[in-house]
Amino acid sequence: MKEKRVCESRTEQVHLVRNTHINGNKRLFGGCLMQWIDTVGGVVARRHSGRAITTACVDNLQFRAAVVINSTVVLIGKMTYVGNTSMEVRVDTFVESLEGVRELVNTAYLVFVALDENGRPVPVPGLQIENEQERVEFENGARRQQLRKERRNQGY
């Protein structure tokens, strides 16, 4: 199975925050952002694997700042680590000003599993690392994967 480059599955999605996205505190509803993140991450995983996928884990979701109505929200997803059948995707969420300046407001790591026609896990292409940033992200992803295994073994 041929390896794929990180840039081959990179995905970007843009939203304008509307009234339907706002919670009682007049901020972006966290569940809405989580849905957008899962969608972007899923597209990255589908592009990388060329398969149907399922979300296996939302490993980390850090809310750094509030997002308000009429904000332009930009989500960027990229593959960070690949195992045998699983894929880790990082999704960064930014608020973009009218001048085009982006402020990071959320970072999430999600794990997806590629599925065959019967809904069973299937191997995915490896990840071709092209630069130092991708190498560091891959090594960190391998460490996160090991921590996930340890947590599962401990019943978390």
Side-chain angles (χ1 to χ4, degrees):
M1 190 176 300
K2 183 181 171 197
E3 289 186 341
K4 290 190 175 179
R5 301 178 315 157
V6 172
C7 65
E8 292 179 74
S9 59
R10 185 184 180 280
T11 300
E12 186 170 322
Q13 185 181 75
V14 180
H15 294 273
L16 290 175
V17 178
R18 302 288 186 204
N19 285 330
T20 58
H21 305 130
I22 297 299
N23 65 20
N25 291 320
K26 300 187 181 197
R27 297 177 177 191
L28 177 62
F29 181 58
C32 182
L33 181 57
M34 290 170 63
Q35 178 183 2
W36 294 346
I37 289 168
D38 191 44
T39 299
V40 168
V43 170
V44 171
R46 286 171 58 108
R47 286 178 171 173
H48 182 81
S49 67
R51 296 284 190 161
I53 51 89
T54 189
T55 307
C57 171
V58 177
D59 193 47
N60 192 355
L61 189 65
Q62 298 177 8
F63 295 93
R64 297 177 186 197
V67 179
V68 297
I69 197 162
N70 290 330
S71 295
T72 300
V73 174
V74 179
L75 296 98
I76 300 173
K78 65 180 182 175
M79 191 65 58
T80 55
Y81 176 78
V82 173
N84 182 40
T85 62
S86 66
M87 301 160 281
E88 182 189 77
V89 177
R90 176 180 173 154
V91 178
D92 290 318
T93 304
F94 301 88
V95 170
E96 185 177 271
S97 71
L98 294 175
E99 295 79 29
V101 176
R102 292 179 177 179
E103 174 192 359
L104 182 67
V105 295
N106 191 286
T107 298
Y109 287 93
L110 303 92
V111 177
F112 297 89
V113 174
L115 303 173
D116 67 12
E117 298 75 21
N118 299 312
R120 294 196 178 105
V122 62
V124 297
L127 193 60
Q128 183 178 340
I129 304 301
E130 298 186 300
N131 58 51
E132 181 65 13
Q133 181 183 1
E134 291 175 3
R135 184 191 63 74
V136 168
E137 193 73 72
F138 188 87
E139 289 173 358
N140 289 340
R143 283 194 284 277
R144 285 187 293 270
Q145 179 65 9
Q146 183 59 41
L147 288 171
R148 286 183 209 105
K149 286 180 182 179
E150 290 173 14
R151 287 193 308 248
R152 273 195 310 270
N153 291 339
Q154 295 172 2
Y156 288 109

